[in-house]
Amino acid sequence: MNKTMTVQARTFVTSNVRATLVFALALLLGACGFHLRGNADIPEIYKHLQVQSPQNTPLDKWLRAELTGLRVQLDEPNSTILHVLNIRPTRQELTGSLTEIQVGVEVDFRLENAKGEPLTAVRTISSRRSFQYNQNTVGIQSQQEELLQADLYQSAAQQIV
């Protein structure tokens, strides 16, 4: 009987310590200003957008996904136009004892009214990532590069939004 009381007491203390720890961490996160990303307040002029970007590109896919996630109505006639003017992917390889690949993307865009007249100046955003690998080891370079490029386009879409 004494042994079962000890196991029950230990279980009770352990569960209370865990609950206290979770509560303390939640308080710390709240105190530092952290909050989950909710729906942003979008000005009325941007709640309905036409997206003009090169079709079937990773940027177009991510841009539409980000805007849809914010409940923006896409491709409605007579609405503000998000015009992607230029997409410039970059790739640089630096060799040494390790090979470093730097990939990036720069995107020029502007907002236009329904008639195509500029509402904003042309804006440029850029995103860059890099990774290193040893050429003598198993070749995962192309897979890593593809993952980084997908991340680049998602990051660029988030910056535009």
Side-chain angles (χ1 to χ4, degrees):
M1 175 118 176
N2 193 12
K3 213 175 209 182
T4 58
M5 290 284 276
T6 304
V7 171
Q8 289 175 344
R10 187 177 306 150
T11 304
F12 179 74
V13 169
T14 303
S15 64
N16 280 342
V17 168
R18 286 183 185 161
T20 303
L21 184 60
V22 168
F23 182 71
L25 287 174
L27 281 176
L28 285 172
L29 278 176
C32 77
F34 175 83
H35 60 280
L36 294 174
R37 187 171 136 183
N39 290 339
D41 291 332
I42 300 171
E44 192 64 37
I45 192 171
Y46 303 130
K47 288 186 179 183
H48 304 277
L49 285 176
Q50 293 181 50
V51 177
Q52 289 184 359
S53 69
Q55 297 291 323
N56 301 320
T57 61
L59 179 66
D60 185 60
K61 179 186 102 174
W62 284 112
L63 194 53
R64 289 175 183 278
E66 289 289 326
L67 290 167
T68 301
L70 291 172
R71 297 191 175 127
V72 173
Q73 300 297 314
L74 297 178
D75 299 326
E76 291 192 11
N78 299 321
S79 60
T80 304
I81 301 168
L82 173 58
H83 191 169
V84 175
L85 302 166
N86 196 5
I87 302 171
R88 294 179 303 281
T90 60
R91 183 182 191 278
Q92 185 176 19
E93 187 171 321
L94 307 170
T95 55
S97 57
L98 290 176
T99 299
E100 180 177 357
I101 304 289
Q102 296 177 350
V103 291
V105 65
E106 292 182 350
V107 179
D108 299 328
F109 69 98
R110 74 176 171 216
L111 291 170
E112 302 170 349
N113 65 17
K115 296 176 184 176
E117 298 165 341
L119 295 173
T120 64
V122 174
R123 296 178 182 172
T124 302
I125 58 101
S126 64
S127 188
R128 299 195 191 303
R129 303 285 186 274
S130 67
F131 68 98
Q132 295 178 344
Y133 70 96
N134 185 339
Q135 291 181 336
N136 298 326
T137 60
V138 177
I140 61 166
Q141 170 206 355
S142 63
Q143 293 171 349
Q144 182 71 23
E145 191 169 343
E146 287 173 15
L147 289 172
L148 286 178
Q149 286 177 339
D151 184 51
L152 283 172
Y153 286 107
Q154 182 181 12
S155 174
Q158 289 171 345
Q159 289 180 53
I160 290 171
V161 170

